[in-house]
């Protein structure tokens, strides 16, 4: 077991395809928009390629896909106006993936990304580009598909050149391309891609189309403007809540106060049925719905309905006495050894010979996703026996399979449309009772008409799948020189990877990531995973286990620095002497901040201090420094400096924006956010009780991208985990008070 490090949840994504039995109440990840049809005058590539159709909705996953990146018609449509429509394997949810895909494909195709229209591809074997799967999550989209999408663009460009060579009766070697046009310089002749597309798509694609030399890149690596900004700014962008279909009824839902309860009786059913626009009242598992000719009328009616609830049969029923305080007490009381996720060195001897030993316990609460867009879904059964769904998701094939089981159909009979997401954060997976699409399917079947289900904010908070509560116990030791010599950590609880993907493994990787596998040199260390089931429906949340575990670890590392009389920045740097990538990043963030200084110090008449933290999430490395002060008992964060090494940058502007947004959610969660359970039900039902960071408390965020040349890492989530510990470490330096429980607003701090 010596030197063993259990992989984090990132490794689950990197692994090859595995057989996963996804239960009816299980979770999965899905992607985005279905095939909505082509614009007038456009040539859909799949139609033009005889014998090689794009395998999409109807064919499901039965057919084996050829070499990724060679099935051009499945992905690309060249329109007569010179624009290019790309069917992306990934969901656009504000992270900029549509622009990144346009950059990568456009670079090799030789078409300006600004000329791309990017939609989410329907379910189909061609789009399983994430190691034989398809999902949008884990900060994995670009790094998992970079080579495939480059090959796609290169293959398409090669087809255009070959078609032009045949048309012009010229050698291919004499032709070149320029922004959607094939050119023969010597004769001054040219043909646009739109003129060539029909002939090009009839050619067999080359399996070895040459890629460009990265030294010649014009768009990859550049801050290309996002291609979706105009539509979002002008209101043309459509999210799931904006969509309608003909003859549609609107449904509003009232869920049982506690998961596991069922509707028993209605006290005023006749009065509600008589309300304006009401079509019907329908019972659902754990809920009731009112259907009406408008959603507002449906909502008013369902909120008027007086429902008596009884306990029912549900695999995830919450006990009536369940509370988050009781859950945390249970985690604190669990003293089992668990299973080692990481182990090296002689821990017993290291502690016995240490100069000083310290212990600490840390915890973090349940968190809601609190996305901007409330959940919704539209279901329609068509005359041809198919079921059509419009719903936010992060993995179309998984939702297709789940919906097919619910409807009693073959997967190929279920058509999935995946609009862009109005909020991401791991919310749009197949969490039990947390998604409205099963309700939409049941209601559409019951009334024989298309039905749109839209949850209110209160119903969203009530049935959200929460980030699990976290607890970790640390014991550490420093030597005579003040440097750490031993560390023993135990992560206690449950994580989403263990619940949904690896329930039989002794180590849940999402419980220990951010604690196991840290880059610091410590002679003896052990990290244990102590599994304790949690009754609520738990979920992935932005940066998953890292969102709490790096707070635990990096805060305790500062405690070790104080125990040894060491500066926490210098101590980290010394512990990274054999890790040049991380050491370079740590120096970079110090330089970005104007030079490391812990404090306390005065600036503009305000007493301040700084804290530092590092994280290694999703294939990237991140270093963070926070500067804080205390005002009226509250933590005020003035600046966050974040250096990120994603290996290489595809779009620096998007990386910077993602780090800034991740820092905002990291700060919001560390200072304010918390879901508490009492009586088996969450107490936070809207933003009046679930506090998020207000604009007035948003600090300045400074970002530096350090390209080490390592393998591509993720960028959507890595900015989160360094923020909570950097802030907590700064507060400790300023006040001498160590905060070990989130959110920090629970602690009233003196000036």
């Amino acid at each position: 077991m010596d030197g063993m490090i259990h992989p984090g949840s990132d490794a689950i994504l990197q692994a090859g395809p595995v057989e996963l039995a996804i239960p009816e109440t299980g979770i999965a990840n899905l992607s985005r928009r279905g095939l909505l049809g082509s614009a007038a005058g456009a040539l859909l590539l799949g139609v033009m390629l005889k014998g090689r159709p794009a395998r999409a909705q109807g064919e499901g996953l039965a057919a084996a896909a050829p070499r990724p990146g060679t099935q051009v018609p499945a992905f690309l449509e060249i329109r007569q106006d010179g624009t290019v429509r790309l069917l992306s394997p990934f969901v656009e949810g504000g992270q900029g993936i549509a622009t990144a895909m346009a950059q990568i494909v456009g670079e090799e195709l030789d078409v300006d990304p600004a000329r791309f229209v990017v939609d989410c591809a329907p379910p189909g074997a061609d789009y399983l580009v994430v190691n034989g799967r398809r999902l949008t999550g884990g900060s994995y989209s670009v790094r998992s598909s970079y080579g495939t999408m480059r090959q796609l663009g290169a293959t398409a460009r090669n087809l255009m050149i070959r078609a032009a060579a045949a048309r012009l009766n010229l050698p291919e070697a004499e032709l070149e391309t320029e922004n959607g046009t094939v050119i023969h310089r010597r004769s001054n002749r040219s043909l646009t891609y739109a003129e060539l597309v029909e002939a090009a798509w009839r050619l067999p694609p080359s399996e070895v189309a040459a890629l460009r030399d990265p030294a010649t890149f014009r768009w990859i690596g550049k801050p290309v403007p996002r291609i979706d900004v105009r539509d979002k700014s002008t209101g043309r962008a459509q999210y799931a809540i904006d969509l309608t279909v003909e003859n549609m009824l609107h449904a509003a839902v009232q869920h049982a106060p506690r998961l596991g309860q069922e509707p028993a009786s209605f006290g005023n059913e006749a009065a509600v049925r008589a309300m304006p626009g009401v079509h019907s009242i329908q019972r659902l598992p754990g809920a009731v719905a009112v259907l009406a000719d408008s959603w507002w009328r449906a909502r008013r009616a369902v909120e008027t309905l007086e429902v008596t609830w009884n306990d029912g049969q549900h695999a995830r029923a919450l006990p009536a006495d369940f509370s988050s305080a009781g859950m945390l007490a249970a985690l604190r009381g669990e003293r089992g050894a668990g299973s080692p996720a990481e182990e090296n060195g002689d821990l017993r001897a290291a502690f016995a010979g240490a100069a000083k030993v310290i212990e600490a316990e840390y915890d973090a609460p349940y968190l809601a996703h609190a996305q901007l867009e409330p959940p919704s879904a539209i279901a329609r059964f068509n005359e041809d026996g198919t079921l059509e769904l419009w719903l936010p998701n992060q993995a179309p094939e998984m939702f297709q399979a789940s919906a097919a089981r619910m409807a009693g159909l073959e997967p190929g009979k279920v058509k999935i449309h995946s609009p862009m997401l109005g909020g991401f954060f791991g919310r749009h997976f197949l969490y039990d009772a947390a998604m409205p699409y099963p309700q939409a399917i049941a209601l559409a079947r019951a009334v024989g008409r298309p039905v749109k289900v839209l949850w209110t904010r209160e119903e969203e908070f009530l049935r959200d799948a929460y980030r699990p509560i976290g607890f970790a116990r640390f014991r550490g030791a420093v030597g005579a020189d003040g440097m750490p010599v031993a560390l023993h950590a135990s992560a206690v609880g449950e994580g989403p990877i263990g619940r949904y993907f690896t329930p039989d493994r002794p180590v849940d990787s999402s419980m220990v990531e951010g604690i196991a596998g840290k880059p610091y040199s410590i002679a003896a260390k052990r990290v244990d995973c102590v599994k304790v089931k949690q009754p609520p429906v738990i979920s992935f949340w932005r940066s998953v286990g890292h969102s709490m575990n790096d707070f635990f670890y990096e805060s305790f590392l500062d405690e070790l620095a104080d125990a040894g009389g060491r500066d926490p920045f210098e101590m980290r740097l010394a512990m990274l002497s054999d890790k040049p990538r991380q050491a370079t990043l740590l120096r970079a963030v110090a330089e970005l901040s104007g030079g490391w200084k812990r404090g306390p110090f005065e600036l503009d008449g305000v007493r301040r201090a700084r804290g530092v933290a590092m994280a290694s999430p999703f294939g990237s490395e991140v270093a963070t420094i926070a500067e804080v002060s205390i005002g009226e008992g509250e933590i005020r964060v003035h600046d966050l400096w974040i250096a990120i090494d994603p290996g290489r940058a595809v779009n620096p502007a998007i990386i910077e924006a993602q780090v800034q947004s991740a820092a905002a959610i990291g700060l919001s969660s560390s200072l304010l956010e918390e879901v508490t359970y009492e009586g088996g039900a969450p107490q936070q039902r809207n933003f009046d009780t679930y506090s998020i960071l207000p604009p007035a408390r948003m600090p300045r965020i400074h970002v530096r991208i350090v390209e080490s040349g390592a393998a591509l890492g993720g960028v959507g989530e890595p900015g989160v985990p360094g923020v909570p510990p950097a802030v907590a470490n700064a507060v400790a330096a300023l006040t001498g008070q160590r905060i070990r429980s989130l959110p920090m607003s629970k602690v009233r701090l003196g000036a």
Side-chain angles (χ1 to χ4, degrees):
M1 306 264 294
D2 189 49
M4 178 184 63
I5 298 177
H6 196 279
S9 59
D10 187 52
I12 299 294
L13 295 175
Q14 295 185 43
V18 295
E19 290 297 323
L20 294 176
I22 303 175
E24 200 67 36
T25 57
I27 158 193
N29 267 10
L30 319 200
S31 190
R32 180 148 94 73
R33 181 170 315 189
L35 186 58
L36 301 179
S38 55
L43 295 174
L44 185 62
L45 306 193
V47 175
M48 305 310 302
L49 191 60
K50 302 291 185 182
R52 297 178 70 94
R55 291 177 305 282
Q57 305 268 15
E59 211 171 318
L61 305 182
R67 182 184 173 209
T70 61
Q71 279 298 91
V72 176
F75 290 88
L76 290 175
E77 172 191 337
I78 307 296
R79 293 171 166 172
Q80 293 301 299
D81 62 1
T83 59
V84 176
R85 182 172 182 245
L86 169 65
L87 290 177
S88 170
F90 305 107
V91 182
E92 176 58 62
Q95 81 280 42
I97 189 62
T99 303
M101 291 295 105
Q103 284 180 259
I104 297 168
V105 176
E107 186 70 72
E108 297 291 350
L109 180 58
D110 200 355
V111 174
D112 190 327
R115 293 169 59 183
F116 273 70
V117 175
V118 180
D119 290 319
C120 183
D126 290 304
Y127 310 114
L128 305 181
V129 299
V130 184
N131 292 316
R133 306 188 192 98
R134 180 187 182 188
L135 56 86
T136 306
S139 297
Y140 207 57
S141 298
V142 169
R143 56 191 174 124
S144 67
S145 66
Y146 180 74
T148 297
M149 302 312 283
R150 281 188 68 192
Q151 190 63 58
L152 173 70
T155 302
R157 177 176 175 271
N158 174 268
L159 289 171
M160 293 296 175
I161 289 176
R162 289 160 56 197
R167 176 86 63 88
L168 299 173
N169 195 26
L170 291 168
E172 294 175 25
E174 293 185 12
L175 300 176
E176 55 189 279
T177 61
E178 185 176 296
N179 198 14
T181 302
V182 181
I183 300 169
H184 185 247
R185 297 287 184 190
R186 194 165 59 187
S187 65
N188 198 29
R189 285 184 290 173
S190 64
L191 292 166
T192 66
Y193 287 0
E195 294 174 288
L196 294 166
V197 62
E198 183 172 353
W201 290 176
R202 292 183 186 279
L203 298 172
S206 170
E207 296 282 339
V208 291
L211 298 174
R212 288 187 180 276
D213 181 349
T216 68
F217 282 171
R218 299 141 300 166
W219 297 301
I220 292 178
K222 305 298 190 298
V224 171
R226 289 186 52 152
I227 64 175
D228 54 356
V229 168
R230 176 176 291 275
D231 283 354
K232 289 180 177 179
S233 301
T234 58
R236 293 182 61 191
Q238 286 201 314
Y239 300 88
I241 59 172
D242 301 317
L243 302 177
T244 60
V245 299
E246 188 178 359
N247 198 33
M248 179 182 82
L249 285 170
H250 296 264
V253 175
Q254 181 186 157
H255 287 105
R258 178 165 50 84
L259 187 62
Q261 294 178 310
E262 299 294 340
S265 62
F266 307 139
N268 58 344
E269 183 174 356
V272 171
R273 289 186 185 277
M275 292 179 70
V278 169
H279 172 276
S280 60
I281 300 172
Q282 302 287 338
R283 293 172 183 264
L284 294 165
V288 295
V290 173
L291 281 69
D293 58 5
S294 76
W295 184 77
W296 180 249
R297 285 175 164 178
R299 174 183 175 175
R300 291 193 64 186
V302 81
E303 290 178 346
T304 302
L305 190 64
E306 298 170 358
V307 186
T308 299
W309 303 94
N310 288 341
D311 286 345
Q313 299 297 319
H314 192 284
R316 279 286 173 189
L318 279 168
D321 62 349
F322 177 77
S323 70
S324 48
M327 187 73 248
L328 180 57
L331 298 181
R332 288 185 183 278
E334 175 57 57
R335 292 283 174 175
S339 300
E342 178 179 14
E343 187 174 21
N344 65 268
D346 190 335
L347 202 62
R348 186 188 300 272
F351 275 116
K356 191 171 185 179
V357 176
I358 62 170
E359 297 182 356
E361 294 179 344
Y362 285 81
D363 66 83
Y366 291 112
L367 290 183
H369 291 94
Q371 59 180 14
L372 184 62
E373 179 189 16
S376 68
I378 299 174
R380 180 176 69 193
F381 286 92
N382 298 314
E383 292 183 359
D384 63 0
T386 60
L387 167 63
E388 207 158 356
L389 289 169
W390 292 259
L391 74 163
N393 68 85
Q394 291 176 241
E397 286 77 10
M398 294 184 189
F399 275 84
Q400 182 188 50
S402 174
R405 288 195 299 271
M406 292 176 187
L409 298 172
E410 291 297 320
K413 293 288 187 180
V414 178
K415 299 180 180 181
I416 299 290
H417 301 279
S418 306
M420 69 176 70
L421 304 177
F424 224 109
F425 322 132
R427 175 65 179 87
H428 303 286
F429 299 160
L430 294 177
Y431 302 118
D432 181 27
M435 306 291 285
Y437 76 96
Q439 297 173 344
I441 294 171
L443 293 171
R445 172 161 279 169
V447 301
R449 289 176 59 180
V451 173
K452 179 178 183 177
V453 178
L454 173 61
W455 288 0
T456 63
R457 185 69 66 188
E458 288 77 12
E459 300 305 317
E460 149 75 348
F461 271 89
L462 182 63
R463 282 295 179 266
D464 193 6
Y466 297 117
R467 186 192 77 171
I469 197 169
F471 176 76
R473 187 177 291 116
F474 290 87
R475 185 168 184 252
V478 295
D481 61 355
M483 293 295 291
V485 295
L487 177 72
H488 186 194
S490 295
V492 185
E494 186 180 14
I497 289 290
R499 175 175 290 192
Y500 299 119
F501 291 98
T502 59
D504 297 328
R505 294 185 187 177
V507 173
D508 179 343
S509 60
S510 57
M511 283 178 60
V512 297
E513 60 187 6
I515 299 177
K518 297 288 279 190
Y520 305 114
S521 176
I522 301 177
K525 54 187 171 183
R526 175 175 170 137
V527 177
D528 288 322
C529 176
V530 184
K531 287 189 171 185
V532 177
K533 287 189 176 296
Q534 303 190 29
V537 179
I538 62 172
S539 68
F540 293 89
W541 195 89
R542 194 168 182 176
S543 75
V544 200
H546 287 280
S547 66
M548 61 182 93
N549 289 337
D550 282 291
F551 163 69
F552 301 160
Y553 189 102
E554 292 287 320
S555 296
F556 187 69
L557 200 60
D558 259 43
E559 292 199 60
L560 283 174
D562 288 339
R566 289 276 187 167
D567 176 86
F569 179 90
E570 297 299 336
M571 185 187 79
R572 282 175 172 80
L573 200 57
M575 296 171 72
L576 296 171
S577 59
D578 61 343
K579 299 290 192 305
R581 184 183 181 190
Q582 289 84 357
T584 297
L585 199 65
L586 189 57
R587 293 189 183 97
V589 77
E591 181 183 345
L592 181 65
S593 70
W596 165 253
K597 53 180 178 179
R598 189 184 192 194
F601 55 86
E602 280 206 5
L603 180 63
D604 299 329
V606 178
R607 192 166 180 265
R608 306 186 184 192
R610 291 182 179 181
V612 64
M614 299 195 75
S616 305
F618 304 96
S620 291
E621 298 290 334
V622 182
T624 305
I625 291 176
E627 182 170 300
V628 311
S629 67
I630 307 297
E632 300 179 352
E634 285 188 343
I635 298 168
R636 296 180 177 176
V637 182
H638 300 277
D639 291 272
L640 289 170
W641 294 274
I642 303 175
I644 179 171
D645 175 7
R648 291 168 290 155
V650 170
N651 188 317
I654 288 178
I655 293 175
E656 182 174 358
Q658 282 295 287
V659 171
Q660 290 172 337
S661 71
I665 200 172
L667 185 58
S668 181
S669 64
S670 60
L671 294 183
L672 299 168
E673 295 183 36
E674 180 179 25
V675 170
T676 56
Y677 275 91
E678 292 179 16
Q683 301 303 294
Q684 290 70 27
R685 296 290 299 277
N686 208 323
F687 290 111
D688 57 340
T689 50
Y690 188 83
S691 299
I692 62 172
L693 190 72
R697 296 188 69 176
M698 185 69 181
R700 295 178 292 267
I701 301 178
H702 318 267
V703 179
R704 175 172 293 180
I705 301 168
V706 179
E707 296 187 71
S708 64
L712 279 171
V715 300
E717 296 169 280
V720 174
V723 173
V727 172
N729 290 338
V731 169
L734 183 61
T735 66
Q737 188 169 353
R738 173 58 61 180
I739 298 176
R740 300 189 182 95
S741 179
L742 297 179
M744 299 180 197
S745 58
K746 295 186 295 187
V747 179
R748 189 74 176 173
L749 297 162

